[in-house]
Amino acid sequence: MTWEIFNAIGTIAFAISGAIVALEEEYDILGVYVLGMVTAFGGGAIRNLLIGVPVSALWDQGLLFLMAILVITVVFLFPLRALKQWKRWGTFTDAIGLSTFAILGALYAAEMNHPLSATIIAALLTGSGGGMLRDVLAGRKPVVLREDIYGLWAMLAGLLIGVGAVNQTWGLYVLFVAIVILRMMTVHYKWRLPHRTIKQQEDVSV
Amino acid sequence: MTWEIFNAIGTIAFAISGAIVALEEEYDILGVYVLGMVTAFGGGAIRNLLIGVPVSALWDQGLLFLMAILVITVVFLFPLRALKQWKRWGTFTDAIGLSTFAILGALYAAEMNHPLSATIIAALLTGSGGGMLRDVLAGRKPVVLREDIYGLWAMLAGLLIGVGAVNQTWGLYVLFVAIVILRMMTVHYKWRLPHRTIKQQEDVSV
Amino acid sequence: MTWEIFNAIGTIAFAISGAIVALEEEYDILGVYVLGMVTAFGGGAIRNLLIGVPVSALWDQGLLFLMAILVITVVFLFPLRALKQWKRWGTFTDAIGLSTFAILGALYAAEMNHPLSATIIAALLTGSGGGMLRDVLAGRKPVVLREDIYGLWAMLAGLLIGVGAVNQTWGLYVLFVAIVILRMMTVHYKWRLPHRTIKQQEDVSV
C-alpha cells in the first residue's frame, strides 16, 4: 500500500513537470501529453528494464494512466498567471517524485538481491530517469547532470535501503520526507556540488 | 500477411526518412545508414520493449534489414536535385510509416490483452518512436512533440483497434488508408493542434 | 577470461571518455559520475537489450562498477593541465573501448545464432552505443554519426566474427589490436567516409 501511494504521488508530480517543460518549449497539446506521460512513466520503465522486471508491467497501472492524463489536462487548462508561479510548486512536486521513485527503485533492486551498487544506481536512475528522458526530448541538457544536488539524494536513499538501514514502512515514510526536505533545502539554500571545468577545445572528445 | 506488408512499407518509409535527416545534418555515409536503420527499426524496438515482446525478435527480419539497407543506399546515391523535392515524398512515406506502425503497435498491444490506454499509447509510441529516436540522434526536438497533428492520428488508430471497432483485415486496410489521408490533409491544410506557451523564465523547471 | 579482460578495458576507457565529456559540459561531480557510468555501461545495456540477454545482467559486474567509479574519481581529481592533453589519450582509450565492445557484441550475437546482419549491427551498436548515450545526454550530436570512420571498424569486427573468419582466442586478440590500430590511423591520417549534403530547407523532413 505504501508503494501504491508513493508511486501515485511521484507519477503525478513528474507528469506535471513534463507537461510544464512541454509548455515552455511551445510543444502542442499532444506534445504536452506525451512529454507528461514520458516523464511520469519513463523513470519506472528504465527501472524495470535495469532490474529485470518486464517493462510491459507498466500497463497494469490503468488508474495511474488516468490520473496522469487528468493532471496533464489540468496543467494545460490552467490560467497562465498561475503557471508562472510554477517555480515553487514545480520544485516541490518534482522533489516528491524524486524521493518516491528513488525509494521505489531501491526497494525493487534490493528485493531482487542485486548488490549494493545496483541498489544505489537503481535509486538514482529511477529517481532521475523520467526527468532525463523529459529533458532529452525537450532538447535540453538533463538537469540531473548539471545542476544543484539532485541525484545525490536519490543515491542516499539507495544507500540507506541497500545496506538495510531502512526497511520498515515507517522508516520508508521518514526517508521519503527526509529526501523531499533535503531536496527543497538544496534549492532554497542553493547548495551546489563541487564542479570543475576543462576549457572545451576544438575537438577534445572522440 | 497483412502485417508483413504493412511492416515492410513502414520500415522502408522510415528508413528513407532517417537517411534524409542524416543528409541534412551532414552526417557521413555511416551516419546515414545508422540513422536510417534506427528510424526504421527503433519504433518496433520501443514497441516490443513496451508490450513485452523480446526486443531481440528484431533479428528475425533479415529480409527487412536488406530492404532498408538497399533503400538507404538509393537515397545516398540519389541525384541532389531529386532529393530537394523530398519534402512532398518525405511527408508521404512518413505518413505511411506512421499509419503502419501505429496500427501494428495497437494490434500487438490488443492481442496481449493490455488495457485500452496501453493500446492507444502503444500505437502512439510505435508510430512515432522511430522518428523520436531519429530526431534525438540528429540533435533536433522531436517533430511529434512540436508540430502539426502527427501523433493524434496514431492514437486514433490505437483507440479504434483498442475498442474493437476495427479488427478485420479489410477494416485494417481502410484504417491504414484513412490515417495516411488524414496525415496528408494535416500537412496540406496546415491543421494545428491548440497550443499555448508560458514564457520561459530563468529556471522554471527542475 | 578473454572476455572479462576485454570488457574491463572497454568499460574503463568509456568511463573516462564519459567523465571527460561531462567536465567539458561543466556538469557537476554527480553529472561526471553519471555520464561516466552511462558511457561505460550503456553500450552493454543496449547490446543486452538488442540480443535478448536480460539487461539486469549488468548488476553482476560489481567489480567493474568499482573500477569505473574509481577511474572517474581519478579523472575528476586529475590536474587540469594533464586533462588538456586528453585528446591523444582520449582517442586511444576510446579506440580500445570501441574495439572491445564491438568484438564482445558480435560474439554475443553470434553465440545466440542471430543472422549475420544482427551480428554486424550488434557490433556497431555495442561499440558505439555507450558513446551515443553519452553524446545525447551531453546535448551533442553523436560523434559516431557525424565524424571520421568510427562505426565502420565496429562493423568490420562484426562481419569477421559473423562469418566465422575469427573465432579463436588468439584471432580475437589480433582482431582487437587491428581495430584499435585502424581507429588510431583513422584519427591520425584524418580518413573520412564520403558524405554529401542536401541544403537544409525550411522544413524538409517530417
Side-chain angles (χ1 to χ4, degrees), chain B residues 59-161:
Chain B
W59 306 113
D60 299 335
Q61 322 176 68
L63 186 59
L64 275 182
F65 279 145
L66 285 182
M67 285 166 61
I69 287 172
L70 187 70
V71 91
I72 294 168
T73 307
V74 170
V75 168
F76 192 79
L77 299 177
F78 227 54
L80 207 56
R81 190 176 303 275
L83 280 183
K84 286 197 176 168
Q85 302 214 343
W86 171 249
K87 194 180 164 92
R88 197 166 309 137
W89 287 102
T91 306
F92 185 57
T93 55
D94 194 273
I96 292 174
L98 171 71
S99 180
T100 303
F101 281 14
I103 290 172
L104 283 177
L107 285 173
Y108 272 53
E111 203 171 64
M112 301 185 85
N113 294 315
H114 288 308
L116 179 60
S117 58
T119 307
I120 294 174
I121 295 177
L124 171 63
L125 287 183
T126 313
S128 60
M132 282 169 85
L133 284 178
R134 175 197 65 200
D135 291 340
V136 166
L137 289 178
R140 300 180 174 189
K141 292 185 186 173
V143 78
V144 66
L145 299 179
R146 109 184 108 80
E147 238 177 61
D148 301 336
I149 302 169
Y150 189 91
L152 192 69
W153 303 128
M155 293 173 79
L156 180 65
L159 177 67
L160 291 175
I161 290 171

Side-chain angles (χ1 to χ4, degrees), chain A residues 26-33 76, chain B residues 144-153 155 186 190-196:
Chain A
E26 313 212 356
Y27 289 165
D28 66 22
I29 187 171
L30 187 74
V32 174
Y33 279 99
F76 192 78
Chain B
V144 66
L145 299 179
R146 109 184 108 80
E147 238 177 61
D148 301 336
I149 302 169
Y150 189 91
L152 192 69
W153 303 128
M155 293 173 79
T186 303
K190 298 189 194 304
W191 290 343
R192 299 288 315 255
L193 284 177
H195 69 285
R196 52 183 295 226

